[in-house]
Amino acid sequence: MSTRREAGRIGIMRAALHLVAVITLLAALGALAPRGAEAAKKKSSSHKTESTTHRASAQKVDINTATESDLEDLPGIGTVLAQKIISGRPYKSVADLKHAGIPANVVAGLKGHVMASRVAPSASRASATSTPRPRRRAGEKSAAEKHEAAEKHEAAENHEAAESATKPAPKEASGQRTFFGIPIGGSAKKEEAKSAPAKSERSEARSEASSGGEETHAALQPPEKGMVWANTDTKVYHVEGDRWYGATKHGKWMWEDQAVREGFRASQQYKKP
């Protein structure tokens, strides 16, 4: 009996020792794990820092070969300053940018972002003379001068058109006769208007005289006494006692008031009673 009890106690002690050993091992592993993680973090961070520094140094913009768009991506550099940098090439160092008209504070802000590579003098001369400006012939105007001349010509034409539009129309001659600037008598137009009926009557008289030779019949007698003879060719009416009363080639008998309404005029030989 005692032997069995002794064996049981030994077994329990062994199990307890195994359990203590496992717990101790786990505790040791738990203490080592944070240190390993911290070391790994430090190692990775240092690697990242080195890669970032290498990448930053590799991404520096070369002010001697960079394009205008690459220069515009730099801090404080716009289109105007980028063009100044390109026109001032080549540069021996970043500090030489001040000779191209770049402000000092902008040059200071570019440190760490740009670099100046060595450029062969022949290459710089080739870049400077690669695009020569075309020479202008003697007497040939530039595009700007031609454009300015065209604008001046157009402005002169517009000015002339505006003056002609605002200029009053010339007054028609009134035909008024003057003596030292003082109007005398009636106007020429009024006198012509007054003399027109007299001229027409004289021409009618001449036509009546000429039409007498065309008479082919004797004088006609009116249907009723007191009627007038209206010459339809000359639009003149004749009364009784007139030479051409009923004796013209073309005509008709009418009452005097009817002849006047139809536009006939009395003959020169007509005398009102």
Side-chain angles (χ1 to χ4, degrees):
M1 277 297 281
S2 60
T3 306
R4 290 181 181 177
R5 287 180 181 176
E6 194 68 27
R9 287 177 183 175
I10 293 171
I12 291 171
M13 291 178 66
R14 286 179 179 176
L17 290 174
H18 283 296
L19 180 60
V20 171
V22 171
I23 292 172
T24 303
L25 180 61
L26 291 175
L29 291 176
L32 291 175
R35 294 179 181 177
E38 187 177 354
K41 285 183 180 179
K42 288 182 179 179
K43 187 177 181 180
S44 63
S45 62
S46 63
H47 179 69
K48 287 181 180 178
T49 304
E50 290 177 359
S51 62
T52 304
T53 306
H54 179 70
R55 191 181 306 134
S57 62
Q59 288 182 351
K60 284 185 178 181
V61 177
D62 189 353
I63 57 177
N64 284 327
T65 59
T67 61
E68 183 177 343
S69 61
D70 292 337
L71 294 173
E72 290 177 358
D73 293 337
L74 296 172
I77 301 298
T79 304
V80 177
L81 293 182
Q83 292 176 354
K84 286 185 177 181
I85 292 173
I86 293 173
S87 61
R89 288 173 178 170
Y91 303 98
K92 294 181 180 180
S93 64
V94 178
D96 290 343
L97 289 173
K98 62 183 180 181
H99 301 302
I102 309 301
N105 58 340
V106 177
V107 176
L110 293 177
K111 290 181 179 180
H113 298 281
V114 296
M115 57 176 292
S117 63
R118 293 183 180 179
V119 181
S122 59
S124 62
R125 288 195 212 100
S127 61
T129 59
S130 57
T131 56
R133 294 183 180 179
R135 293 184 178 178
R136 191 170 57 185
R137 296 179 181 177
E140 185 180 358
K141 293 183 178 180
S142 64
E145 292 175 348
K146 290 180 180 179
H147 181 68
E148 185 179 358
E151 287 184 348
K152 288 182 179 179
H153 181 68
E154 185 178 359
E157 289 183 350
N158 294 337
H159 182 66
E160 291 179 0
E163 284 186 350
S164 62
T166 56
K167 190 176 181 181
K171 295 182 179 180
E172 294 182 359
S174 60
Q176 181 71 38
R177 290 179 294 180
T178 59
F179 180 75
F180 291 100
I182 302 173
I184 57 172
S187 64
K189 290 184 178 180
K190 290 182 180 179
E191 292 182 358
E192 289 178 0
K194 289 180 181 179
S195 62
K199 290 181 181 179
S200 62
E201 288 182 0
R202 287 195 295 270
S203 62
E204 287 170 2
R206 286 195 296 270
S207 63
E208 288 176 1
S210 61
S211 64
E214 297 177 358
E215 184 181 348
T216 56
H217 54 80
L220 301 176
Q221 298 299 321
E224 294 185 24
K225 190 170 181 63
M227 297 185 74
V228 298
W229 175 255
N231 188 345
T232 55
D233 291 336
T234 61
K235 301 294 286 185
V236 176
Y237 68 86
H238 306 273
V239 297
E240 186 176 1
D242 193 332
R243 175 184 174 186
W244 305 107
Y245 184 70
T248 60
K249 186 175 181 180
H250 301 99
K252 58 182 178 179
W253 296 105
M254 303 176 68
W255 295 105
E256 186 175 2
D257 57 350
Q258 182 184 1
V260 172
R261 285 196 302 272
E262 292 187 11
F264 289 88
R265 296 187 301 276
S267 172
Q268 290 181 347
Q269 299 180 14
Y270 172 64
K271 296 180 180 179
K272 268 192 173 183

